[in-house]
Amino acid sequence: MECKRVACLGAGFVGGPTMAVFASKCPDIHFTVLDIDSSKIDQWNSNNLPIYEPNLYEIIQPVRGQNLFFSTNIIEEIEAADMIFFSLPTPTKKQGLGAGSACDLSYFEQAVRNVATILTKYKGFKIIVEKSTVPVRTAEMVKEILTCNCKELEFSVLSNPEFLAEGSAVNDLLFPNRVLIGGDNMQAITALFMLYAKWVPSDRIITTSLWSSELAKLCSNAMLAQRVSSINSISALCEKVGADVEDVARVLTKDERIGSKFLQTSIGFGGSCFKKDILCLVYLCENVGLSEVAEYWRQVIVMNEFQTNRYCRVISKMLVNLKMKNIAIFGFAYKKNTSDTRESPSAYVCNSLLQEEAILHIFDPKVTRQQMLAEMNFHEFLDGISSEKHLISHSDPYVAVKNTCAIVVLTEWDIFKNLNYESMYAEMQKPAFIFDGRNVLNHKALKRVGFKVVAIGKSE
Ligand code: UGA
């Protein structure tokens, strides 16, 4: 079957960029990104996009209004589409059965039910694509809802998980290392395959069963997170035995079997996916009676929390007492090149310092104060704390460091590497500390300036 019109439910970090790249590569196909949140759609239609992502505007601008549209007109677009993507959030459940580990499928299911309502009387064929990261066998639920509610609808469900990483989304979409399509209907698989084949070499497009595809996405994130936790666990050991984690990582990465990616030590991984997806995997393992397997993967999260807490303890210990001390925080996003703060380890570190009554002066090149407060409030970190007095945000890093006793680097933004630390040092209280939670700065040069430098995984 030929696909002429595509609709995507969910105008978030995945739906927006993915459809933008599709539209730029498939000029003959009409793409519409749909959302019930009209303010979000207005932003996608403006020059001020709702997310910061390098080169996203450049990709969107030439195709928007041509073959890429952002709309709240869900009924009309779902009726007209040949292919419907579901790109809704699937966060961790907060209450009820599986709270704290199972996936909350309520947004996803609601969207499927809405589509079923729209298509109740529809006669014809539609391809349904799961783009969201979902628990294994979610496609079964989708099939059931559609079969029960849409008597004359012919459809096929595909799993097409997204592998883009925030901060490099456009590049990842333009040059994916693989595209995964899971399904049981060759006609539908071929239709989606043909869309990607417009720019992705066909040997990079993997087809599998639905269940392998759904599971592979969870495993992919779990394996990446496991590498970060592995190197972070080694960083703790390095500090105890006088080794340097960067030397160790350098040796490891020379072995092609190990590879070089995801071995950068840090204060812990963050973002909306790693923890959520591992928890989902853990829950799945527990449900099928594989408690040892569940425990193995749970340990990746335990290690991540240990790393963040460990670093907080190091800061508190080195500064002796934090009460009313001014501390500069560099970076609030969970990684560089994104404005996303979800599950950012920065929020956890800030919380720990606030508990000690420190006064934080935060600088992040892309995160607004409103977002910082929202993330802190989401975790209830500001309960009983005056954010006016204790959480101050700055748009200039040189202003942020004035009269502080320490700079704590929590995100690996490139801009932090090229600041004039000599002039910062002059404006700070002495002794002046730098806690480099990402090991991105030139420690030797900072020590020459006079800073006391505390890195991760290094004993001096
Ligand atoms: C991750 C995966 O990399 C994507 O393939 C996947 O599509 C995505 O989740 C998703 O499921 O949506 P993302 O969370 O955007 O992407 O970012 P990553 O680059 O994977 O980084 C995750 C966290 O790990 C960040 O906090 C980052 O700073 C940290 N990290 C990463 C390290 O601490 N060390 C490293 O060596 C690499």
Side-chain angles (χ1 to χ4, degrees), residues 372-384:
M372 291 173 194
L373 294 178
E375 183 64 24
M376 296 297 280
N377 280 324
F378 174 79
H379 296 286
E380 299 173 359
F381 287 161
L382 292 178
D383 289 2

Side-chain angles (χ1 to χ4, degrees), residues 217-267:
K217 166 67 194 191
L218 293 178
C219 296
S220 181
N221 275 357
M223 290 277 213
L224 291 170
Q226 182 220 48
R227 283 174 70 90
V228 178
S229 275
S230 295
I231 199 68
N232 282 343
S233 73
I234 307 274
S235 76
L237 185 57
C238 285
E239 289 168 28
K240 296 280 183 202
V241 300
D244 181 326
V245 71
E246 278 171 35
D247 286 343
V248 176
R250 204 147 37 98
V251 175
L252 296 177
T253 59
K254 288 287 173 214
D255 185 333
E256 284 177 6
R257 294 169 303 175
I258 296 173
S260 61
K261 307 260 171 74
F262 278 73
L263 288 179
Q264 173 64 46
T265 195
S266 64
I267 39 160

Side-chain angles (χ1 to χ4, degrees), residues 131-148:
K131 193 49 130 171
S132 307
T133 304
V134 290
V136 183
R137 301 198 86 88
T138 299
E140 219 159 53
M141 171 191 86
V142 178
K143 284 182 189 177
E144 206 169 3
I145 294 173
L146 293 176
T147 308
C148 293

Side-chain angles (χ1 to χ4, degrees), residues 168-302:
S168 57
V170 172
N171 202 57
D172 294 345
L173 286 161
L174 289 172
F175 309 101
N177 49 24
R178 82 285 209 201
V179 164
L180 175 55
I181 304 175
D184 47 22
N185 175 320
M186 206 25 93
Q187 221 190 346
I189 293 174
T190 307
L192 185 54
F193 189 104
M194 294 314 287
L195 290 196
Y196 280 110
K198 295 249 162 66
W199 79 99
V200 181
S202 51
D203 59 355
R204 292 201 183 179
I205 308 177
I206 305 169
T207 57
T208 66
S209 73
L210 274 168
W211 319 133
S212 297
S213 172
E214 288 175 339
L215 182 59
K217 166 67 194 191
L218 293 178
C219 296
S220 181
N221 275 357
M223 290 277 213
L224 291 170
Q226 182 220 48
R227 283 174 70 90
V228 178
S229 275
S230 295
I231 199 68
N232 282 343
S233 73
I234 307 274
S235 76
L237 185 57
C238 285
E239 289 168 28
K240 296 280 183 202
V241 300
D244 181 326
V245 71
E246 278 171 35
D247 286 343
V248 176
R250 204 147 37 98
V251 175
L252 296 177
T253 59
K254 288 287 173 214
D255 185 333
E256 284 177 6
R257 294 169 303 175
I258 296 173
S260 61
K261 307 260 171 74
F262 278 73
L263 288 179
Q264 173 64 46
T265 195
S266 64
I267 39 160
F269 58 75
S272 66
C273 302
F274 278 4
K275 186 174 169 191
K276 163 180 86 77
D277 292 351
I278 295 173
L279 287 169
C280 183
L281 192 65
V282 167
Y283 186 70
L284 175 69
C285 295
E286 280 168 349
N287 260 324
V288 295
L290 294 171
S291 55
E292 287 82 357
V293 183
E295 218 28 63
Y296 175 79
W297 288 109
R298 193 193 299 283
Q299 202 55 32
V300 173
I301 296 175
V302 170

Side-chain angles (χ1 to χ4, degrees), residues 421 442-451 453:
Y421 285 98
N442 182 340
H443 299 164
K444 272 192 193 146
L446 291 171
K447 281 178 191 166
R448 276 199 300 275
V449 169
F451 279 105
V453 179

Side-chain angles (χ1 to χ4, degrees), residues 162-164 166 217 221 262 264 266 270 273 334-335 438:
E162 189 47 66
F163 293 112
L164 68 80
E166 285 179 33
K217 166 67 194 191
N221 275 357
F262 278 73
Q264 173 64 46
S266 64
C273 302
Y334 78 95
K335 61 185 275 196
R438 298 281 186 166

